[in-house]
């Protein structure tokens, strides 16, 4: 079985493979000639790092009937031998993909990537709004203007507060322009949210996920975009671990040690699920019975923030079951 490993670049690529006769193929190729070279070598398997444009190339190779193995760059790094260059990286990808226990990243469809791109745009706009609000707060504090915390309360109260304040004409004009910029960013975020809500209405998986407390259009579409086919994960715990909602483990000599949640995570999805879990925990902690008792008991032992992560972990496991079994949400 002939496998070809490709180190992806912007304009140039490096391929590495070993055929049945033991002949090593190691060649640099331009972007325009990559498909022709792959057709010429005719590998059964193509291995690449899961990085920028890898899903695009993966779809092209899959359409030609080849098996595609995408590997997390974190798992390729231990196989790099000697000084780092494109040829060594391609060889490391080949070695990593040859391991029988290696875990691979499923190739995303174009629709999944489109939905994920929409979330990336929304995330950038939210960051831009936060940065702009912090900028305005700092400037307004120089004139003794202090507004309540929170984006909604700031946006609703800034215009009236600026109009009533005793400001020089130049400062008033400046704050007026910043307010217009903030309202424009809010409108753009609202348009993206409307698109996500419309997608939720059309997608059956999203509608099922939204029945879970703490899950809205943002979390539902983010889950579907990231893990449309949850069967790639063996269990709900595997999905929660991939999102980054389980503690880091360091075990030696049969003595396990658990730490906090680590950096190896889908940071955007984890952040959204933690926001949803915080809303659930804040609401349920005041209710008697069931989940409310569990949240209060856990909060008393571990604190509120760890309780929120535990609730997000439960949400991820329930989402896995709903996606794999196509079941509706059932409250415990």
């Amino acid at each position: 079985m002939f496998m070809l490993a490709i180190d992806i670049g912007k304009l140039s690529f490096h391929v590495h493979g070993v055929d049945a006769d033991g002949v090593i193929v190691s060649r640099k190729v331009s972007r325009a000639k990559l498909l022709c070279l792959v057709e010429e070598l005719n590998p059964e398997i193509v291995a690449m790092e899961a990085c920028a444009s890898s899903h695009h190339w993966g779809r092209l190779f899959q359409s030609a009937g080849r098996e595609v193995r995408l590997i997390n760059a974190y798992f390729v790094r231990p196989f790099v031998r000697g000084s780092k260059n494109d040829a060594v990286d391609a060889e490391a990808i080949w070695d990593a993909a040859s391991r029988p226990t290696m875990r691979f990243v499923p190739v995303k469809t174009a629709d999944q990537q489109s939905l994920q791109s929409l979330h990336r745009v929304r995330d950038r706009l939210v960051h831009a709004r936060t940065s702009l609000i912090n900028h305005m707060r700092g400037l307004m504090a120089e004139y003794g203007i202090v507004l309540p915390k929170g984006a909604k309360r700031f946006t609703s109260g800034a215009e009236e507060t600026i109009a009533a304040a005793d400001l020089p004409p130049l400062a008033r004009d400046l704050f007026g322009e910043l307010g217009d910029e903030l309202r424009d960013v809010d409108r753009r975020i609202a348009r993206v949210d409307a698109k996500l809500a419309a997608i939720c209405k059309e997608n059956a998986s999203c509608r099922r996920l939204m029945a879970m407390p703490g899950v809205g259009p943002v979390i539902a579409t983010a889950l579907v975009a990231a893990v449309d086919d949850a069967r790639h994960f063996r269990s709900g715990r595997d999905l929660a671990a991939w999102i980054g909602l389980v503690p880091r483990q360091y075990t030696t000599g049969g003595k396990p040690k658990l730490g906090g949640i680590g950096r190896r995570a889908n940071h955007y999805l984890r952040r959204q699920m933690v926001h949803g879990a915080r809303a659930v925990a804040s609401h349920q902690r005041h209710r008697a019975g069931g989940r409310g008792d569990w949240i209060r008991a856990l909060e008393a032992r571990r604190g509120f923030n760890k309780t929120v992560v535990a609730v997000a972990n439960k949400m991820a496991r329930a989402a896995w079951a709903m996606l794999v079994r196509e079941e509706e949400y059932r409250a415990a």
Side-chain angles (χ1 to χ4, degrees), residues 20 39 48 70 89 98 139 155 181 243 258-259 284 288 297 310:
E39 288 293 332
M48 298 175 288
L70 298 183
D89 286 347
S98 303
L139 295 176
T155 305
E181 184 179 351
I243 295 174
L258 299 180
Q284 295 284 344

Side-chain angles (χ1 to χ4, degrees), residues 233-277:
F233 299 93
R234 293 174 299 178
S235 64
R237 188 192 184 283
D238 285 355
L239 175 59
W242 178 78
I243 295 174
L245 296 170
V246 299
R248 289 173 295 178
Q249 182 182 128
Y250 181 82
T251 301
T252 180
K255 297 179 180 179
K257 294 182 180 180
L258 299 180
I261 55 176
R263 290 180 296 175
R264 289 172 55 189
N266 185 320
H267 294 278
Y268 176 78
L269 186 54
R270 179 169 71 179
R271 184 168 65 249
Q272 300 303 328
M273 294 201 69
V274 167
H275 286 330

Side-chain angles (χ1 to χ4, degrees), residues 168-186:
L170 180 59
R172 192 177 299 278
D173 293 341
L174 175 64
F175 288 131
E177 293 175 2
L178 291 174
D180 293 339
E181 184 179 351
L182 179 59
R183 284 187 290 273
D184 179 62
V185 174
D186 278 333

